[in-house]
Amino acid sequence: MKSGKEIRCSLCGEPAATRIAYAKLWLCKKHFIEFIEKRVFESINRYRLAGQGQRMLVAVSGGKDSITMLYLLHKTSMKMGFEVIALHMDLGIGTYSKISREIVEHFCKSLGTPLIILDLKTLIGYSLPELVHKTRRPPCSICGLIKRYLINVVAQEIKADAAALGHHLDDLLPYILKNFMLQNLFEISKLGPKTESVDGFVGRIRPLYDVSEHEIALYAKLSNLPFVDEECPYTSKKSLDKQVKEFLNNLESLHPGIKISFARAVARNIHVYKTLSVAKTLKRCVVCGAPSSDDMCSFCKLTNRVAGRPLGAEVRLKIRDMLSSLGLLK
Ligand code: Q46
Ligand code: ZN
Ligand code: ZN
């Protein structure tokens, strides 16, 4: 902020902490925090993401996005009367995983939120780096597969109404745009604020759907939330993703508000994208019973390749035992 003439909050006249260009507002710390909380609360209502008496499984990596989401869902849950249970996956990625796990453990303790920790090495005998080394597959593709599978297993076992993910505006819009360019229109239906549960898949909610990465970072900082500062060492540096993101940010600086309008327009039309699926009959994995397009699900195929046998059914049993000892089975 320039010295001399101090810029003041448009609502109360206190020194401003930030400018919200699309709302034509300068906001102080207090009003910025209220602004974001109101937005998330409105999204939860507008998109019917959570309701009284429901049970939400919240996936928390320890980064600023998922920590902010957990904090905001925790706050909202007290007003709206739903239950929040956190899930952290320790992927065994050196100090990055160690620090992430500690932060999530402390934060959940401070909120009084029940926390489930799945340690990949304990669960299947291999950490993510070991799986990458053995399979030579891209780390994020293995990681994504494992996380999707395990989130679904835990959500099913605890009978969660949905699993909450910390994806925000700047994660989702580039994917939506890329899928539009490639005309993978059905994929767009999975990138909205809410994906309903369908046979064998627990639905997903994204409470930060229309909050930008910059707003989340500032909210986390001003609210003194603890989060892992370093990035996962496998974070993708794909140039197309970066360029699409930059393109959207350039558009936003020329036309403030265009990103939120884009996201909300997609959310309004999600039902149209859902009708564009190529009819595929889902089977059940012969090993673990998970929904799968093949006889064996991707998780069982992966573990079969590295461990010599498919581990889906064993992993589900281990998880069930752990949830039972935590008193979280319904
Ligand atoms: S944790 Fe996993 Fe991300 Fe790391 S390996 Fe890639 S996908 S970058 S959200
Ligand atoms: Zn103010
Ligand atoms: Zn399986």
Side-chain angles (χ1 to χ4, degrees):
M1 216 149 297
K2 283 179 200 156
S3 58
K5 207 172 155 206
E6 198 166 22
I7 299 174
R8 302 266 158 188
C9 173
S10 316
L11 303 181
C12 71
E14 287 295 308
T18 189
R19 177 168 179 248
I20 309 286
Y22 59 84
K24 297 190 175 67
L25 289 173
W26 283 95
L27 295 177
C28 66
K29 174 181 166 177
K30 171 177 172 275
H31 283 115
F32 173 73
I33 287 175
E34 280 179 18
F35 179 79
I36 296 298
E37 292 183 353
K38 186 165 171 264
R39 170 100 58 81
V40 172
F41 188 61
E42 281 171 358
S43 286
I44 292 173
N45 277 319
R46 178 185 303 124
Y47 303 122
R48 299 179 204 286
L49 303 187
Q52 195 180 15
Q54 290 190 329
R55 178 174 254 202
M56 294 296 153
L57 179 68
V58 183
V60 193
S61 68
K64 65 180 184 327
D65 308 337
S66 60
I67 286 282
T68 300
M69 169 184 64
L70 174 63
Y71 180 67
L72 289 170
L73 275 178
H74 168 78
K75 273 189 122 174
T76 314
S77 72
M78 292 190 291
K79 277 194 230 166
M80 290 182 65
F82 57 86
E83 189 184 5
V84 166
I85 296 173
L87 168 66
H88 175 73
M89 281 178 248
D90 183 339
L91 303 166
I93 311 176
T95 48
Y96 166 74
S97 291
K98 202 171 164 283
I99 297 170
S100 306
R101 180 175 173 155
E102 282 170 11
I103 287 181
V104 174
E105 280 175 327
H106 283 126
F107 190 53
C108 287
K109 209 170 169 192
S110 72
L111 296 179
T113 301
L115 170 65
I116 301 158
I117 293 188
L118 297 183
D119 183 308
L120 193 61
K121 177 97 181 171
T122 312
L123 212 51
I124 66 168
Y126 299 90
S127 65
L128 187 69
E130 287 167 343
L131 289 176
V132 171
H133 182 72
K134 280 215 134 205
T135 61
R136 306 263 164 227
R137 280 181 54 177
C140 295
S141 118
I142 303 182
C143 179
L145 178 167
I146 290 174
K147 285 200 252 182
R148 275 192 299 279
Y149 184 84
L150 295 177
I151 289 175
N152 204 51
V153 169
V154 174
Q156 279 184 327
E157 292 295 332
I158 64 167
K159 297 199 170 49
D161 292 279
L165 307 176
H167 300 147
H168 53 65
L169 195 63
D170 295 302
D171 287 325
L172 295 161
L173 289 187
Y175 278 114
I176 291 173
L177 198 52
K178 258 175 63 186
N179 278 308
F180 184 77
M181 290 192 286
L182 299 169
Q183 286 296 286
N184 293 329
L185 298 180
F186 179 62
E187 289 305 305
I188 296 177
S189 73
K190 300 177 195 163
L191 297 170
K194 182 178 189 178
T195 316
E196 300 288 347
S197 300
V198 286
D199 191 26
F201 289 111
V202 177
R204 304 283 195 257
I205 59 165
R206 298 186 172 97
L208 304 179
Y209 181 73
D210 51 17
V211 185
S212 74
E213 186 169 18
H214 168 74
E215 289 170 329
I216 293 169
L218 187 59
Y219 179 90
K221 189 175 155 222
L222 295 179
S223 306
N224 291 321
L225 300 182
F227 58 87
V228 202
D229 228 352
E230 64 182 280
E231 272 192 337
C232 169
Y234 294 125
T235 300
S236 160
K237 304 273 185 301
K238 273 197 215 151
S239 60
L240 181 61
D241 292 3
K242 232 179 111 197
Q243 284 157 359
V244 176
K245 203 169 167 179
E246 276 169 16
F247 164 73
L248 286 163
N249 283 336
N250 286 338
L251 268 187
E252 179 70 23
S253 60
L254 293 171
H255 306 279
I258 195 147
K259 287 198 300 191
I260 291 186
S261 302
F262 180 16
R264 290 187 180 164
V266 170
R268 276 197 299 279
N269 281 334
I270 278 293
H271 62 285
V272 179
Y273 294 111
K274 274 187 198 156
T275 62
L276 299 172
S277 75
V278 186
K280 260 197 269 170
T281 34
L282 269 191
K283 303 177 190 174
R284 292 286 172 167
C285 170
V286 289
V287 180
C288 70
S292 165
S293 50
D294 253 326
D295 288 336
M296 204 190 273
C297 73
S298 326
F299 183 83
C300 284
K301 278 186 193 161
L302 174 77
T303 48
N304 193 27
R305 188 167 156 200
V306 291
R309 62 182 203 285
L311 297 178
E314 289 173 42
V315 161
R316 187 179 276 267
L317 277 179
K318 280 191 192 174
I319 290 177
R320 194 177 292 165
D321 283 349
M322 176 204 273
L323 296 171
S324 164
S325 63
L326 291 171
L328 291 173
L329 291 182
K330 259 190 177 175

